[in-house]
Amino acid sequence: MATIEIDKVSKVYHGNVPAVSEVDIKITDGEFIVLVGPSGCGKSTLLRMVAGLENISSGTVRIGGRIVNDVEPADRDIAMVFQNYALYPHMTVRENLAYGLKNRRTPKPEIEARVAEAARMLELGPYLDRKPRALSGGQRQRVAMGRAIVRHPSAFLFDEPLSNLDAKLRVSMRGEIKRLQRRVGTTSLYVTHDQLEAMTLADRLVVLNGGRIEQIGRPLDVYHAP
Ligand code: ADP
Ligand code: ADP
């Protein structure tokens, strides 16, 4: 596990008003932080800077004490889960789960053990030999989470992972993420525009508005604030 330190981080897309302004968040080991706020408030830009996928205009992000942009992408010990699943369509579920580990030259028995562990946690056992097109939306999203889990990363970054699912499935997947969070306890930064999702999952909530932190605190304190 690792801390994530976001220190006076700003982003200006050329010539525009800042998308993110001087954001400070210290995420402690094992903490689950949810970023909420209206569309365009900078959630996704901030998450992408933490992931090292977007240049930071000023400020620094450290994960486990190391400055994100100083670490080669392949050596970054973080895993991302997106709303569009990003599964390889020509590979089976098992191959999708194993792919990132194979790339990192993880020994085969270790890959098999981690795939089996993720399949157990996410109840994907019966689907391991299917291709993504033969899965439901919820099952695909579980595979996407499985791909992150098998890495045993020191931090998870979630970008609206449930927003493509229907309402009923969102509720059940929310419960599933909550259970995983209790079990795995990995430091997480989670972006959503769904208040209930935020309330259910967050140890602390960060409300962004116009690229700045408007509120930060425990869910009940934030949503019951005057
Ligand atoms: P959110 O995820 O909260 O919806 P974003 O981080 O996507 O917000 O966007 C924050 C602001 O930055 C918005 O004003 C958006 O239009 C702008 N923005 C996002 N990406 C780009 C880009 N690649 N180029 C220019 N402006 C961008
Ligand atoms: P990692 O182990 O870091 O997830 P991958 O090689 O699995 O590395 O993926 C590299 C990048 O490509 C990731 O950002 C992933 O989300 C994206 N990606 C994975 N599958 C697809 C796909 N089918 N189409 C487009 N992008 C994908």
Side-chain angles (χ1 to χ4, degrees), residues 26 32 49 63 72 117 138 219:
K26 298 221 180 325
F32 201 104
M49 288 192 285
I63 299 181
E72 290 293 315
E117 175 199 49

Side-chain angles (χ1 to χ4, degrees), residues 4-19:
I4 300 177
E5 296 158 273
I6 301 170
D7 190 13
K8 281 207 172 53
V9 164
S10 300
K11 174 72 184 184
V12 182
Y13 291 106
H14 31 244
N16 291 313
V17 295

Side-chain angles (χ1 to χ4, degrees), residues 46-65:
L46 182 58
L47 193 79
R48 292 171 56 79
M49 288 192 285
V50 173
L53 299 173
E54 188 83 71
N55 285 324
I56 298 173
S57 305
S58 63
T60 51
V61 173
R62 286 188 179 79
I63 299 181

Side-chain angles (χ1 to χ4, degrees), residues 11-14 16-20 36-48 54 159-160 191-193 208 210-211:
K11 174 72 184 184
V12 182
Y13 291 106
H14 31 244
N16 291 313
V17 295
V20 171
V36 287
S39 178
C41 71
K43 302 183 294 294
S44 151
T45 299
L46 182 58
L47 193 79
R48 292 171 56 79
E54 188 83 71
D159 194 359
E160 308 221 15
V191 166
T192 182
H193 57 257
L208 279 186

Side-chain angles (χ1 to χ4, degrees), residues 67-141:
I67 292 180
V68 162
N69 300 85
D70 290 352
V71 181
E72 290 293 315
D75 295 332
R76 287 183 196 141
D77 190 16
I78 52 178
M80 273 192 95
V81 182
F82 301 97
Q83 60 179 282
N84 61 5
Y85 317 127
L87 302 180
Y88 295 107
H90 57 288
M91 293 183 193
T92 63
V93 169
R94 188 193 308 280
E95 289 163 345
N96 266 285
L97 291 173
Y99 184 78
L101 295 174
K102 262 192 194 151
N103 271 354
R104 288 174 174 77
R105 301 178 191 286
T106 309
K108 205 166 168 214
E110 177 70 20
I111 295 180
E112 282 167 7
R114 290 195 192 188
V115 167
E117 175 199 49
R120 206 165 43 242
M121 276 188 200
L122 294 161
E123 295 173 17
L124 285 170
Y127 313 108
L128 283 171
D129 295 313
R130 288 201 196 171
K131 300 240 170 104
R133 68 169 171 277
L135 300 176
S136 70
Q139 289 161 348
R140 284 180 204 174
Q141 192 48 275

